[in-house]
């Protein structure tokens, strides 16, 4: 493979191109007119404009992307995440054009993209799943019967869904008909497929997922878990690896289960198997057939570059390691920085990065796709960057992330950094005792504001102490440095 086109934008486009470049592979960027000043455009060896802002008129234009591949003699396409990454039709078109799709087969994308088909595929492999129906539910009568067997509360899910869309909890028999109708129409309009099924509702699960890698020669390994329970509106905000709740035995069992899931669809490439974890039990939920946003926490604890492995697998290499070669080293946590207002219900807060200075330091990684002075476009996901830290253990990683957040300077728009700091400071997070309801259970703008006030008091106390220190310094040896607090704190103080 000599030249790769990255059919994506922002941080993930840059991150993929960095690994390609390290492997001596040329890179091609595509971009929309609103992204013309993006770092991913400047970084690539060649860049081609594929249209205007809206995704449907740029990053989703499969035919245009293939045309560019032919013109520039591209031999591989990396789809990143989102956009065309889980589009089986696109993967098929790429293959038909004689280009390597850096990802799984169209068939695997198709099977795992449909929850009922996925359940069917893994059935023969003895994999724990939440009790539920293995067929689509077509009438309120069927729903009532299934719910009676499973027992309330139940959850109605869209088969074509994902990310929580089209899900409805039903606590009581009397609500099932209405909720069923709503779920079907929601699924039909969101996915063009109204098929729904029913599962037992697991009340307070944790969301734990396993990273896998599979080559074209039948070898599959897992790269341990990521804990992804801290999310709001089905959007993850903090992820970490390893999970604070898994024992070595459970980790091993979950990893082996994930490998079986991968084998059930003859998976090739990097993939993620999602589980619900509930008090020592875990259940297979779905498989994501792409590189995930939160992949860096795995890279940091395992010491593997997942994008390089994706490329090696795509060109037909055998996996370079066996399961027993892999182990967990330390702890990694990721904070996603979105252009959203932590103080105001996570309202999108797009605008200009008037000031943008990411933190640096040992064990600090920032995957970003913007520079100071740039506007965050309205057309795409509002994620600005990912701040990832790696340290010896969970406590050290939490401390490192907290300090890195303090050092992260973003002015011009509100971000999720204050929310992330709130999470890191919360006793439930610190203790590791939390589930997917963390935000609903523990977070509110009021609590965040109280914390921020306490922060201001802390800064005031520090500055007062420094003044005393400086006075003493003048009196004695002039050795009165103002200490190690970041200038950022002082900026913030002077603004308030
Ligand atoms: C569930 C569940 C409880 N019981 N299934 C949400 C996204 C989709 N991937 C599956 N999801 C859930 N499925 C049963 N039977 C709770 C969730 C869920 C959830 C899962 C992972 C992360 C965050 C979540 C937030 C709310 C609900």
């Amino acid at each position: 493979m000599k030249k790769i086109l990255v059919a994506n934008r922002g941080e993930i486009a840059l991150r993929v191109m960095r690994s390609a470049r390290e492997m001596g592979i040329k890179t091609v960027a595509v971009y929309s007119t609103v992204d013309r000043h993006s770092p991913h455009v400047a970084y690539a060896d060649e860049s081609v404009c594929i249209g205007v802002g809206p995704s449907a008129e740029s990053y989703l234009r499969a035919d245009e992307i293939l045309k560019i591949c032919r013109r520039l003699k591209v031999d591989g396409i990396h789809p990143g995440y989102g956009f065309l990454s889980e589009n089986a039709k696109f993967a098929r078109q790429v293959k038909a054009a004689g280009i390597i799709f850096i990802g799984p087969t169209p068939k695997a994308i198709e099977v795992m993209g449909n929850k009922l088909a996925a359940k069917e595929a893994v059935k023969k492999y003895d994999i724990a799943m939440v009790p539920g129906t293995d067929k689509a539910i077509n009438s309120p009568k069927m729903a009532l019967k299934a719910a009676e067997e499973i027992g309330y509360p139940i959850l109605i899910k869209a088969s074509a869904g994902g990310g929580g869309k089209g899900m409805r909890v039903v606590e009581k028999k009397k609500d099932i008909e209405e909720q069923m109708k709503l779920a079907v129409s929601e699924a039909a309009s969101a996915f063009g497929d109204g098929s729904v099924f029913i599962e037992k509702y697991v009340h307070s699960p944790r969301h734990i997922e396993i990273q896998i890698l599979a080559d074209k020669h039948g070898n599959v390994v897992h790269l341990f878990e990521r804990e992804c329970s801290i999310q709001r509106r089905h959007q993850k905000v903090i992820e970490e690896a390893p999970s604070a709740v898994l024992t070595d035995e459970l980790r091993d069992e979950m990893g082996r289960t994930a490998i079986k899931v991968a084998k059930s669809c003859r998976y090739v490439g990097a993939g993620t198997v999602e589980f619900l974890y509930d008090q020592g039990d875990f259940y297979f939920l779905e498989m994501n057939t792409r590189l995930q946003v939160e992949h860096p926490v795995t890279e940091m604890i395992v010491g593997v570059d997942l994008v390089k492995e994706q490329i090696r697998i795509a060109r037909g290499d055998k996996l370079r390691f066996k399961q027993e070669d892999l182990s967990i080293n330390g702890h990694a946590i990721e904070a996603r920085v979105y252009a959203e207002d932590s103080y105001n219900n996570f309202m999108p807060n797009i605008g200009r990065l008037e000031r943008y200075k990411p933190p640096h330091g040992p064990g600090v990684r920032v995957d970003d796709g913007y520079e100071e002075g740039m506007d965050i476009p309205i057309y795409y996901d509002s994620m600005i960057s990912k701040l990832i830290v790696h340290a010896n253990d969970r406590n050290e990683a939490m401390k490192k992330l907290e300090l890195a957040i303090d050092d992260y300077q973003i002015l011009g728009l509100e971000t999720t950094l204050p929310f992330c700091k709130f999470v890191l400071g919360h006793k439930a997070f610190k203790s590791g005792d939390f589930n997917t309801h963390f935000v609903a259970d523990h977070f509110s703008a009021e609590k965040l504001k109280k914390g921020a006030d306490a922060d201001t008091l802390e800064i005031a106390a520090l500055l007062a102490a420094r003044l005393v220190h400086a006075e003493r310094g003048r009196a004695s040896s002039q050795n009165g440095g103002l200490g190690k607090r970041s200038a950022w704190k002082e900026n913030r103080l002077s603004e308030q």
Side-chain angles (χ1 to χ4, degrees), residues 256-317:
R256 279 186 286 120
T257 305
I259 289 173
K260 284 196 278 183
V261 171
K263 287 188 169 164
S264 79
C265 63
R266 297 171 176 276
Y267 200 82
V268 169
T272 298
V273 182
E274 281 188 22
F275 296 94
L276 285 184
Y277 170 93
D278 183 34
Q279 299 173 42
D281 292 319
F282 62 83
Y283 310 96
F284 166 62
L285 217 50
E286 51 192 85
M287 180 168 193
N288 298 321
T289 58
R290 59 170 188 277
L291 183 72
Q292 301 219 154
V293 175
E294 62 273 24
H295 76 277
V297 294
T298 298
E299 295 187 320
M300 295 190 91
I301 61 156
V302 185
V304 166
D305 181 322
L306 288 168
V307 172
K308 284 187 185 169
E309 298 309 331
Q310 284 187 298
I311 294 171
R312 291 190 181 108
I313 289 166
R315 70 183 181 199
D317 293 9

Side-chain angles (χ1 to χ4, degrees), residues 13-52:
L14 260 180
R15 188 259 164 278
V16 168
M17 290 193 287
R18 286 202 175 98
S19 288
R21 183 179 271 187
E22 280 183 34
M23 295 173 82
I25 297 168
K26 293 272 184 250
T27 56
V28 178
V30 292
Y31 63 97
S32 70
T33 49
V34 298
D35 280 341
R36 62 190 173 279
H37 301 302
S38 287
H40 85 273
V41 179
Y43 188 88
D45 294 302
E46 296 168 276
S47 298
V48 185
C49 183
I50 44 167
V52 292

Side-chain angles (χ1 to χ4, degrees), residues 154-308:
I154 56 112
L155 188 59
I156 307 175
K157 290 184 175 183
S159 183
K165 247 190 221 152
M167 287 195 342
R168 305 220 151 229
V169 182
V170 184
E171 305 271 358
K172 293 192 186 76
K173 190 175 168 180
K174 70 169 175 55
D175 297 325
I176 202 159
E177 188 163 349
E178 188 192 349
Q179 291 302 322
M180 159 94 184
K181 277 184 191 147
L182 287 168
V184 169
S185 77
E186 213 172 295
S189 72
F191 313 112
D193 174 0
S195 316
V196 299
F197 62 100
I198 290 177
E199 275 180 3
K200 175 90 190 162
Y201 178 61
V202 183
H203 246 290
S204 306
R206 294 171 79 116
H207 171 138
I208 301 180
E209 57 189 31
I210 300 270
Q211 176 71 52
I212 66 103
L213 281 174
D215 68 17
K216 293 180 176 175
H217 309 277
N219 304 299
V220 191
V221 297
H222 73 83
L223 294 90
F224 311 103
E225 80 278 12
R226 292 186 289 260
E227 161 72 60
C228 305
S229 298
I230 308 287
Q231 49 80 45
R232 47 108 191 70
R233 292 189 222 118
H234 300 288
Q235 182 87 266
K236 297 163 188 164
V237 201
I238 296 218
E239 301 101 337
E240 63 180 315
S243 165
V245 285
L246 286 197
T247 59
D248 286 344
E249 288 72 36
L250 266 174
R251 172 172 297 120
D252 191 58
E253 206 185 320
M254 217 184 236
R256 279 186 286 120
T257 305
I259 289 173
K260 284 196 278 183
V261 171
K263 287 188 169 164
S264 79
C265 63
R266 297 171 176 276
Y267 200 82
V268 169
T272 298
V273 182
E274 281 188 22
F275 296 94
L276 285 184
Y277 170 93
D278 183 34
Q279 299 173 42
D281 292 319
F282 62 83
Y283 310 96
F284 166 62
L285 217 50
E286 51 192 85
M287 180 168 193
N288 298 321
T289 58
R290 59 170 188 277
L291 183 72
Q292 301 219 154
V293 175
E294 62 273 24
H295 76 277
V297 294
T298 298
E299 295 187 320
M300 295 190 91
I301 61 156
V302 185
V304 166
D305 181 322
L306 288 168
V307 172
K308 284 187 185 169

